[in-house]
Amino acid sequence: MSETHASTVSYVRDAMLPQAAPPVGETGAIRWVRENLFPTWLNAILTVVSLLAVYWVLSHILPWFLNGIWTAKSLTECRQIRDATLGPDASAACFAVISDRWQQLLFGFYPNHLYWRPVLALVLFLVAVAPILFSGLPRKMLMVSAVVPFAMLWLLWGGSIWGVLSVAAGFGLGYLGFALGSKYLGALVGALAAILVPVFWWIFAASAAAQIMQGIVPISIEAVSSKDFGGFMLSFIIGVSGIILSLPLGVLLALARQSDLLIINKTAVTFIEVIRGVPLIVWLITASLLLNYFLPPNANLDLLLRVIIMVTLFASAYMAEVIRGGLAAVPRGQYEAADALGLDYWKSMRLIILPQAMKISIPGIVNTFIGLFKDTTLVVFIGLFDPIGLASAIRASTDWNGIYWELFIFIGLLFFVCCFSMSRYSIFLERKLQTGHT
């Protein structure tokens, strides 16, 4: 370096500076607030307005919650406690109605001394669905899952155990009809036999067989009529039954709608479009008032059973369209690959096509399940005492006449827990199966 140039340079760094911390405004909460709440002047205004709205709502709701009264026998007593402790102008919720009537909201008019039966049925249900929802559990537990629904049926309704076993026998006969029909007359005949044989058995022979066996070996527990079912238990029974039954029926309808056989295709299309084209409340009224006219003279289906059948058919029509969308999203090459492997129709569907279609359809399937579970509240219009119907009955009593929000918040919380759980499981399953394209 020349002497003239060296004299013009005051300092030349010969070592790296140590790493310094970033500015305070570029890290942590301050950065997040600036980027997400105040990135522009418009967003800043909207943030301030939103915070004021949240503050206004919480300032009115929180005192009502925090001052809640949990011990009282009537709304009048609640108000007397509020006036004595907080003042007549204070805002206080009367949650005592939940403390006083929670059993009725959960179990309806189910006998008090038999509450252990629906509780045990719920425990068995959770045990049964565990190996279905979580693949890490032993596959042998699926045998328990196949038996538990019949045990739950007996626990909830009681009566002779042979009535439940006769229902289970219908499924065994259906499987036998499918196996024999498929072996000797073709897959189509086998499928029809799997449907028609159990139906005829249940309508014409199951009741008589149960009575004969009960006369030979009497085994029974205290029977409970369906009219005593109510509250959240009723909604849970209808919702879970519709969910479990509508999924396989929806798969069959989706496959039938894509069938090349004219009769099967048009029958499936007609069923799906007719069911989806009419509101659920109309079908429930049909189940309540008209369905018995289409049954044999001696057949008298229980109202709750009729509702479950109609809810299942309604949900299966929507499920069929969701699954049909998944089938349409499977690349055509997958169908061709199944043909190239020499697989017949049922094996290609079971091993290659349906697993991919079901994986794609997970969000739509769970969305249908959640909608179905919430729609169980519509049974109030046909005289069944679901949680909404019981809330109206409770509010009509002299003790709790005039109470509103406390009951509906409790009911909404129960539905939220169930629906949110289904939603979170859907997300878990999507991540596990890596649904979608990366």
Side-chain angles (χ1 to χ4, degrees), residues 272-319:
I272 292 171
E273 297 303 331
V274 169
I275 292 292
R276 291 199 309 154
V278 179
L280 177 58
I281 183 60
V282 176
W283 291 120
L284 292 177
I285 294 174
T286 302
S288 174
L289 301 176
L290 302 178
L291 190 58
N292 270 346
Y293 290 104
F294 299 96
L295 297 175
N298 296 328
N300 185 21
L301 282 181
D302 184 86
L303 176 58
L304 180 54
L305 180 58
R306 281 179 273 159
V307 169
I308 291 175
I309 292 173
M310 197 57 71
V311 168
T312 299
L313 296 178
F314 185 83
S316 64
Y318 282 87
M319 191 66 63

Side-chain angles (χ1 to χ4, degrees), residues 121-415:
L122 176 61
V123 173
L124 291 177
F125 169 75
L126 296 177
V127 172
V129 299
I132 299 174
L133 300 181
F134 304 103
S135 59
L137 296 175
R139 295 292 90 187
K140 293 182 179 179
M141 288 184 64
L142 291 174
M143 298 178 63
V144 177
S145 303
V147 175
V148 162
F150 304 104
M152 292 174 58
L153 183 65
W154 188 45
L155 283 172
L156 291 172
W157 274 271
S160 171
I161 193 174
W162 298 109
V164 176
L165 293 179
S166 65
V167 173
F171 290 98
L173 292 173
Y175 176 78
L176 183 62
F178 173 77
L180 295 177
S182 301
K183 181 177 181 180
Y184 296 107
L185 301 174
L188 178 59
V189 175
L192 292 175
I195 298 172
L196 296 179
V197 170
V199 169
F200 279 101
W201 165 261
W202 290 327
I203 293 177
F204 297 105
S207 178
Q211 291 177 4
I212 293 173
M213 292 304 301
Q214 179 65 17
I216 299 173
V217 185
I219 303 175
S220 62
I221 58 177
E222 183 178 345
V224 180
S225 174
S226 293
K227 64 181 179 62
D228 295 327
F229 284 55
F232 191 72
M233 182 182 72
L234 177 65
S235 295
F236 195 82
I237 290 172
I238 296 174
V240 170
S241 300
I243 287 171
I244 294 174
L245 297 174
S246 66
L247 182 58
L249 186 56
V251 172
L252 293 177
L253 286 171
L255 295 178
R257 183 157 189 169
Q258 288 193 329
S259 174
D260 294 330
L261 299 175
L262 180 64
I263 295 178
I264 294 179
N265 177 274
K266 297 307 178 184
T267 301
V269 170
T270 302
F271 175 86
I272 292 171
E273 297 303 331
V274 169
I275 292 292
R276 291 199 309 154
V278 179
L280 177 58
I281 183 60
V282 176
W283 291 120
L284 292 177
I285 294 174
T286 302
S288 174
L289 301 176
L290 302 178
L291 190 58
N292 270 346
Y293 290 104
F294 299 96
L295 297 175
N298 296 328
N300 185 21
L301 282 181
D302 184 86
L303 176 58
L304 180 54
L305 180 58
R306 281 179 273 159
V307 169
I308 291 175
I309 292 173
M310 197 57 71
V311 168
T312 299
L313 296 178
F314 185 83
S316 64
Y318 282 87
M319 191 66 63
E321 291 301 282
V322 172
I323 296 172
R324 188 168 69 92
L327 291 171
V330 176
R332 185 64 191 172
Q334 297 296 313
Y335 293 86
E336 296 171 351
D339 294 336
L341 290 173
L343 300 178
D344 60 22
Y345 176 81
W346 293 109
K347 286 185 178 180
S348 65
M349 283 294 168
R350 180 170 59 89
L351 299 175
I352 295 178
I353 306 303
L354 273 179
Q356 299 181 66
M358 298 296 286
K359 184 177 71 170
I360 295 170
S361 304
I362 287 174
I365 291 173
V366 176
N367 184 62
T368 304
F369 286 167
I370 292 174
L372 168 63
F373 191 73
K374 292 187 295 184
D375 285 344
T376 57
T377 55
L378 292 175
V379 300
V380 68
F381 294 107
I382 58 173
L384 295 179
F385 283 95
D386 75 312
I388 302 297
L390 280 174
S392 300
I394 291 171
R395 291 190 295 108
S397 66
T398 55
D399 290 337
W400 300 109
N401 187 15
I403 200 163
Y404 293 95
W405 291 107
E406 293 86 348
L407 289 170
F408 293 122
I409 288 174
F410 179 70
I411 294 169
L413 182 62
L414 292 175
F415 277 97

